[in-house]
């Protein structure tokens, strides 16, 4: 359920496979356009973090200027200022990346997302989430555009093809920044993950599509979306990242895969001007990214109240509250079923709100998902039927299973439940010990929690 970059190298390999000439819940706010493959151990870094001079280094800046001209012509956006270029040795580049993420994203937000994924069973118990995410981001790091200084950072050990692809992708971000204030738009905002992910899908889809136009003109729009999606996902299942948790890999790919499909839909309908129009009137939800008609109508999300946590005990307080959206919901469903079935079950998403609750030594999570209004709540009922059956197939026999509830007491894992009420689904996970995720709750508590959440039904219209 993460919102972070997939490797440009996968994208370039995909170009070769397609027959063209050889020449890709909370790091969405990490350096946009970061280029990495999957994953290798992060080297330790000693000494001060390198900083860029105001004008960059002359050789790198000249290299950046030449590519910026090419990207500007292909993308149809004029560069309004030069972009300083900095070439750094890999260890220094990684150190700068670490410093940037530490500055832009609160560490607790990363830890909270790791706890959430562990409670849901999307990553292993006792999983070092923070280091695993950094490894996924930083392995074979190629370079990135840093909006804070308007500078292009590039690894010193890249070959010509990789360097060109990285520059083409990242300098599209520079143009986005110059024309649409990418720096301001991508600032970390707690509680707005769905809107942030929708924006990142637009930004990464735009940059990836432009990169293809620079590297292999005329190829990418002729490639069926299904082939593009399959090749990128296949590339993520190979190499050193093959054993990374599925949800993490899917989250890494999402802005590129779904963002590219979204941007290509716009381009096929109206060319690059249609993409520019989307920047002027940006998608606000990932539902709008996934469904062209929802974006065309600018269908808003439903308002959903955060699940109360009183049933857990007085010492529990809300550590984080967020709206995740249809795309992360679909990624979670994909843990238990095929991609096609997950997309179907997540379709008709209307809105959601989730809470991560903590007390000194325990943590718990609840996610309330509201489906579009329908006669007798058939959209939510269909999703419950499909998802609960898939969970049983994947997780084994349920402790509780009836027409509106399924709950699992998994050995060594937090209790996990799914409940249905009207047009709403509710997932609860936990409580569990914060230190090692040892379960501290059961399905009886999960039932009381769901009854607490659904105790006073509220009507919302879309």
């Amino acid at each position: 359920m993460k919102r972070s970059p997939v490797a440009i190298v996968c994208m370039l390999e995909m170009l070769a496979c397609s027959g063209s000439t050889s020449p890709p819940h909370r790091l969405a706010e990490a350096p946009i356009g970061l280029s990495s493959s999957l994953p290798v151990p992060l080297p330790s870094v000693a000494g001060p973090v390198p900083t860029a001079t105001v004008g960059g280094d002359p050789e790198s800046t000249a290299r950046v200027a030449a590519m910026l001209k090419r990207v500007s012509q292909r993308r149809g956006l004029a560069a309004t200022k030069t972009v300083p270029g900095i070439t750094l040795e890999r260890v220094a580049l990684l150190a700068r990346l670490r410093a940037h993420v530490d500055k832009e994203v609160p560490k607790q937000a990363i830890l909270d997302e790791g706890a959430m994924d562990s409670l849901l069973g999307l990553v292993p118990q006792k999983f070092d989430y923070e280091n695993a995410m950094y490894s996924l981001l930083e392995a074979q790091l190629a370079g990135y555009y840093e909006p804070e200084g308007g500078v292009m950072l590039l690894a010193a050990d890249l070959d010509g093809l990789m360097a060109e692809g990285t520059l083409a992708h990242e300098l599209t971000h520079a143009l986005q920044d110059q024309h649409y204030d990418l720096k301001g738009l991508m600032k970390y905002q707690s509680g707005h993950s769905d809107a942030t992910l929708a924006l990142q899908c637009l930004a990464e889809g735009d940059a990836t599509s432009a990169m293809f136009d620079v590297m292999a003109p005329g190829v990418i729009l002729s490639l069926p979306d299904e082939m593009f999606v399959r090749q990128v996902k296949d590339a993520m299942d190979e190499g050193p990242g093959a054993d990374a948790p599925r949800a993490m890999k899917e989250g890494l790919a999402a802005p590129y895969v779904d963002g590219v499909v979204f941007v290509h839909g716009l381009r096929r309908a109206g060319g690059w001007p249609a993409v520019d129009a989307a920047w002027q009137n940006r998608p606000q939800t990932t539902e709008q990214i996934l469904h062209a008609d929802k974006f065309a109508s600018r269908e808003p999300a439903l308002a959903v109240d955060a699940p109360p946590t009183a049933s857990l005990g007085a010492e529990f307080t809300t550590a984080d509250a967020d709206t995740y959206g249809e795309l992360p919901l679909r990624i979670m469903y994909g843990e238990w079923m095929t991609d096609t079935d997950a997309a179907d079950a997540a379709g008709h998403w209307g809105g959601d709100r989730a809470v991560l609750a903590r007390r000194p030594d325990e943590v718990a999570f609840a996610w309330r998902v509201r489906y579009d209004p329908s006669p007798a709540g058939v959209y939510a009922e269909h999703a419950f039927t499909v998802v609960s059956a898939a969970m049983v197939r994947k997780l084994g026999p349920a402790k509780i299973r009836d027409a509106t509830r399924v709950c699992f007491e998994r050995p060594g894992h937090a209790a996990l439940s799914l409940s249905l009420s009207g047009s709403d689904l509710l997932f609860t996970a936990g409580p569990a010990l914060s230190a090692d995720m040892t379960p501290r709750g059961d399905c009886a508590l999960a039932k009381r929690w769901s009854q607490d959440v659904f105790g006073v039904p509220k009507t919302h219209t879309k």
Side-chain angles (χ1 to χ4, degrees), residues 255-321:
Y256 294 82
V257 174
D258 298 296
V260 166
V261 172
F262 173 73
V263 166
H264 286 172
L266 296 176
R267 288 188 62 190
R268 289 176 183 127
W272 284 116
V275 180
D276 294 328
W279 277 102
Q280 298 292 346
N281 191 1
R282 297 184 299 278
Q284 299 299 309
T285 65
T286 54
E287 178 187 48
Q288 294 178 7
I289 293 291
L290 296 172
H291 305 281
D293 59 327
K294 307 283 189 178
F295 177 64
S297 66
R298 300 306 195 274
E299 182 174 308
L302 297 172
V304 179
D305 295 331
T309 60
S311 297
L312 300 177
E315 292 183 338
F316 273 93
T317 59
T318 297
D320 187 31

Side-chain angles (χ1 to χ4, degrees), residues 193-406:
S193 286
D194 188 33
T196 300
L197 179 54
L199 174 61
Q200 190 174 12
C201 285
L202 172 60
E204 297 297 356
D206 180 354
T208 304
S209 186
M211 179 197 74
F212 277 121
D213 274 6
V214 171
M215 302 298 290
V219 171
I220 190 60
L221 287 182
S222 65
L223 188 70
D225 289 338
E226 296 80 7
M227 182 181 296
F228 169 81
V229 171
R230 186 71 270 149
Q231 288 179 324
V232 174
K233 291 192 174 185
D234 285 349
M236 294 191 70
D237 290 334
E238 299 174 356
D243 294 331
R246 176 200 165 275
M248 293 184 75
K249 292 191 293 184
E250 290 287 321
L252 286 169
Y256 294 82
V257 174
D258 298 296
V260 166
V261 172
F262 173 73
V263 166
H264 286 172
L266 296 176
R267 288 188 62 190
R268 289 176 183 127
W272 284 116
V275 180
D276 294 328
W279 277 102
Q280 298 292 346
N281 191 1
R282 297 184 299 278
Q284 299 299 309
T285 65
T286 54
E287 178 187 48
Q288 294 178 7
I289 293 291
L290 296 172
H291 305 281
D293 59 327
K294 307 283 189 178
F295 177 64
S297 66
R298 300 306 195 274
E299 182 174 308
L302 297 172
V304 179
D305 295 331
T309 60
S311 297
L312 300 177
E315 292 183 338
F316 273 93
T317 59
T318 297
D320 187 31
D322 208 344
T323 296
Y324 292 113
E326 182 177 341
L327 180 49
L329 182 67
R330 190 179 69 179
I331 291 173
M332 184 179 74
Y333 285 172
E335 194 72 13
W336 307 312
M337 62 187 78
T338 67
D339 289 347
T340 299
D341 288 341
D344 172 70
H348 296 292
W349 171 94
D352 70 68
R353 197 68 177 168
V355 295
L356 186 74
R358 289 187 181 274
R359 63 182 177 187
D361 61 344
E362 294 182 24
V363 62
F365 177 73
W367 189 3
R368 185 172 190 170
V369 180
R370 179 155 298 149
Y371 279 77
D372 287 330
S374 58
V378 295
Y379 294 146
E381 183 178 357
H382 169 70
F384 175 82
T385 300
V386 172
V387 175
S388 61
M391 293 173 74
V392 170
R393 289 194 298 271
K394 183 68 178 285
L395 302 177
K399 178 74 172 180
I400 298 174
R401 189 180 185 188
D402 56 37
T404 61
R405 182 176 293 108
V406 62

Side-chain angles (χ1 to χ4, degrees), residues 168-181:
H169 184 105
E170 301 304 325
L171 291 175
T172 306
H173 289 316
L175 294 175
Q176 295 166 354
D177 195 28
Q178 293 176 12
H179 285 263
Y180 306 119
D181 186 26

